[in-house]
Amino acid sequence: MREEDSNWFSRWEEELPSPDELIPLSQSLITPDLALAFDIRNPNHAHPPPSSALHPPSQPSLPEFDADSGDLGSGAAGDEPARTLKRPRLVWTPQLHKRFVDAVAHLGIKNAVPKTIMQLMSVDGLTRENVASHLQKYRLYLKRMQGLSGGSGGGANGGSGGASADPATDHLFASSPVPPHFLHPGRANSEHFLPFVPVPALQHHHHHQQQQMVAAAAGRRSNQCIGWEGRPCIIKLPVVMWKIWNLPMRIVEGRFLRCSQLGMIDSKPCYTCRLVLS
DNA sequence: GAGCGAATAT
DNA sequence: AATATTCGCT
């Protein structure tokens, strides 16, 4: 039996994509150069992200870092005090927020604290402070939502017609559906939430989500991962992940895995595409 | 000291 | 309004 174990593991390991094949899902908030210059630590610095991280194919291009901002003491900017420079304000794009919500959902309210969320999100350059600040606001948002949803079944956002519970304020938060158990603290044990976000007939300009759902369904049939936002579903496994999922220690931190490979080990839903592979 | 969360600052 | 920073507390 043990031999079989080590055998499947070896084969599994061989099937890992090579670094060149990888398209990290993490949005790169800072270029490696910049990170180095700014002395920004990398939570799991197993390997620095391949350069492919720098040209996300169809990913909304995040903040561009104009290193050339001339005002930095014109000319001397090169090797001088990188420490004195301030990193640009983080912009929480809907994509980034979605990842945040996903992470919180997977962690459960209990474990959803800034550090853990940050690790699970696994976004380069994202700091605990970034997450903490966002989390603070998100909690306030949830509270407000609880008050408004009252006895209703839990439609987080009204959608068509306008008068959604949230005024023009919560644009960002409204962009990602709120997992039901966020709003009902005393309901069920939310150790893990398995399935998929409801979002029944919500047909806004959220074509992406819908297409993704459709594609996910298709993928479920063929038992194949359809990825996330049109990109291959390859995830970088942070430490918390294998802790939470009770994965073997050998599944190394910082390793890139296909969700199908996770499926081989434990039939947990893929964090990225929500597909359960078994 | 690390990390969380509320308060406060920009 | 959105994000960052500070601050008191465990």
Side-chain angles (χ1 to χ4, degrees):
Chain A
M1 283 298 185
R2 282 183 201 154
E3 296 180 14
E4 286 184 3
D5 281 348
S6 55
N7 190 31
W8 77 253
F9 180 79
S10 303
R11 285 190 308 160
W12 166 83
E13 201 168 26
E14 285 169 8
E15 289 171 6
L16 287 175
S18 76
D20 293 339
E21 300 178 76
L22 297 177
I23 304 177
L25 278 173
S26 305
Q27 308 172 54
S28 199
L29 295 181
I30 42 178
T31 69
D33 295 351
L34 232 47
L36 202 62
F38 283 69
D39 194 25
I40 293 166
R41 38 121 205 184
N42 195 340
N44 33 17
H45 47 65
H47 347 267
S51 58
S52 61
L54 298 180
H55 59 275
S58 61
Q59 183 72 18
S61 49
L62 275 190
E64 301 135 29
F65 300 85
D66 276 320
D68 61 77
S69 299
D71 53 285
L72 299 176
S74 52
D79 51 344
E80 245 318 286
R83 53 192 161 172
T84 69
L85 284 112
K86 291 192 300 185
R87 71 161 74 198
R89 279 166 68 108
L90 174 67
V91 175
W92 284 89
T93 64
Q95 291 83 359
L96 201 53
H97 176 64
K98 180 175 189 302
R99 211 169 167 81
F100 167 86
V101 172
D102 282 350
V104 173
H106 274 267
L107 289 168
I109 316 284
K110 179 185 169 185
N111 296 324
V113 293
K115 189 182 182 184
T116 317
I117 297 171
M118 177 196 69
Q119 293 178 124
L120 192 50
M121 287 181 70
S122 185
V123 171
D124 276 350
L126 189 68
T127 69
R128 190 173 60 82
E129 287 79 9
N130 289 141
V131 175
S133 180
H134 193 65
L135 181 61
Q136 182 177 20
K137 279 307 192 66
Y138 190 62
R139 281 171 173 160
L140 291 176
Y141 171 76
L142 289 183
K143 222 168 214 173
R144 212 175 329 136
M145 291 286 277
Q146 292 187 33
L148 293 182
S149 67
S152 169
N157 35 18
S160 61
S164 52
D166 32 86
T169 60
D170 314 303
H171 272 140
L172 214 211
F173 292 151
S175 73
S176 265
V178 176
H181 60 275
F182 281 14
L183 301 176
H184 304 289
R187 193 72 189 274
N189 62 342
S190 53
E191 276 295 321
H192 260 322
F193 93 113
L194 285 175
F196 203 78
V197 284
V199 193
L202 234 184
Q203 36 200 358
H204 252 295
H205 49 299
H206 291 131
H207 288 156
H208 279 251
Q209 287 189 355
Q210 290 217 330
Q211 288 178 349
Q212 208 175 322
M213 288 181 64
V214 173
R220 200 169 287 121
R221 268 182 247 114
S222 63
N223 198 30
Q224 197 171 30
C225 170
I226 48 86
W228 177 74
E229 308 246 328
R231 302 166 70 176
C233 181
I234 298 175
I235 67 177
K236 188 175 182 180
L237 199 65
V239 196
V240 280
M241 203 81 135
W242 52 255
K243 277 186 182 171
I244 288 172
W245 287 359
N246 287 317
L247 298 177
M249 291 285 289
R250 289 181 299 185
I251 299 177
V252 198
E253 154 194 10
R255 207 65 188 263
F256 284 97
L257 301 174
R258 283 211 155 81
C259 71
S260 56
Q261 291 167 327
L262 281 178
M264 288 174 58
I265 297 154
D266 194 351
S267 55
K268 292 290 165 66
C270 167
Y271 165 62
T272 300
C273 72
R274 310 264 183 135
L275 191 61
V276 182
L277 300 146
S278 52

